[in-house]
Amino acid sequence: YLISKIIIEQIELNSFSFFDFYKRRIRRIFPALLFLLIILTPFTGIIFHNYYLDTYSKSAISTLFFYSNYFFWSLGEEYAAFSSLYHPLLHTWSLSVEEQFYLIFPIILYISHRIFKKYLLYFLILTFLVSIIGSEIFSKQYASFNFYSLLSRYWEISLGGILAIIKINHVTKNINYKFLPEIGLIFIVFSFFYCF
């Protein structure tokens, strides 16, 4: 939501810079990520067998270049499986999804805003619906790919962009927000019973 709001407001003011945006992303992510790899790698070298060292080195490279979600999918690795203990960077799959989104989404927003500014909200709602419906369909036949893929996770992050546009356009200025926490709680409880 916050990132989308900043991007859209800057596009509106003709002050958005792709270079500055990506530079800020790098400055926010890379120091912590490099620190993690510097600390984790020596311990992995001591503890793990050669087979897992090879896999670890490949996962480290995929993490640095933000495609670890597809790397772990290619291994057939389930996130909660016992074997995931041998993949200390498995949790970076979500970081890769996030960064892939940040790589693509500003371009989508920029081009869409230039071509059909009035319909930007509807366009994002359409892509949101395509992603969430696709995610539901793929969850049955391609569960592993569905879990790791940006395409099936797009709806989760793009919702923030939709809310940002609604906020910027003051569509919700007369809405009372006090009931939103209760609605959120209802959705959380519902998803728990629906999933299990």
Side-chain angles (χ1 to χ4, degrees):
Y1 167 79
L2 180 61
I3 295 293
S4 298
K5 187 171 181 290
I6 291 170
I7 293 172
I8 294 165
E9 287 176 341
Q10 288 180 347
I11 290 174
E12 294 273 349
L13 297 171
N14 290 317
S15 62
F16 178 74
S17 164
F18 285 101
F19 177 78
D20 289 340
F21 175 78
Y22 294 130
K23 183 174 73 173
R24 288 195 300 271
R25 295 293 91 211
I26 290 170
R27 289 176 66 180
R28 187 181 77 85
I29 295 296
F30 263 95
L33 183 58
L34 289 175
F35 178 77
L36 170 70
L37 292 173
I38 289 168
I39 296 298
L40 191 60
T41 300
F43 287 103
T44 304
I46 294 168
I47 297 169
F48 281 3
H49 183 272
N50 286 344
Y51 168 78
Y52 291 109
L53 281 178
D54 180 61
T55 306
Y56 171 79
S57 62
K58 290 175 182 176
S59 70
I61 292 169
S62 70
T63 298
L64 278 173
F65 290 97
F66 302 117
Y67 67 92
S68 64
N69 54 327
Y70 294 111
F71 173 76
F72 289 115
W73 167 69
S74 72
L75 293 180
E77 191 61 60
E78 292 184 22
Y79 189 74
F82 180 78
S83 59
S84 67
L85 295 174
Y86 295 100
H87 301 292
L89 293 173
L90 181 58
H91 66 285
T92 64
W93 74 269
S94 60
L95 177 65
S96 292
V97 169
E98 179 185 342
E99 294 310 309
Q100 289 162 18
F101 180 83
Y102 286 147
L103 182 66
I104 297 169
F105 196 59
I107 298 171
I108 293 173
L109 283 179
Y110 188 84
I111 294 174
S112 302
H113 188 273
R114 294 295 181 209
I115 296 175
F116 39 81
K117 177 182 176 181
K118 289 184 178 179
Y119 304 103
L120 179 58
L121 176 61
Y122 303 109
F123 174 73
L124 288 183
I125 291 173
L126 176 63
T127 59
F128 166 86
L129 291 173
V130 168
S131 176
I132 197 169
I133 292 169
S135 176
E136 183 62 25
I137 293 170
F138 287 139
S139 68
K140 305 294 188 293
Q141 293 181 317
Y142 308 100
S144 180
F145 178 79
N146 193 62
F147 181 86
Y148 288 110
S149 174
L150 170 65
L151 298 174
S152 56
R153 295 284 181 175
Y154 171 88
W155 68 269
E156 297 176 355
I157 316 175
S158 67
L159 183 58
I162 293 169
L163 295 175
I165 293 174
I166 290 172
K167 178 71 173 174
I168 290 169
N169 293 337
H170 305 293
V171 175
T172 60
K173 62 183 177 181
N174 295 321
I175 294 178
N176 186 342
Y177 292 93
K178 290 181 180 178
F179 60 88
L180 291 181
E182 288 78 10
I183 290 179
L185 181 61
I186 290 169
F187 279 128
I188 290 170
V189 172
F190 172 77
S191 66
F192 179 80
F193 288 106
Y194 175 74
C195 293
F196 297 103

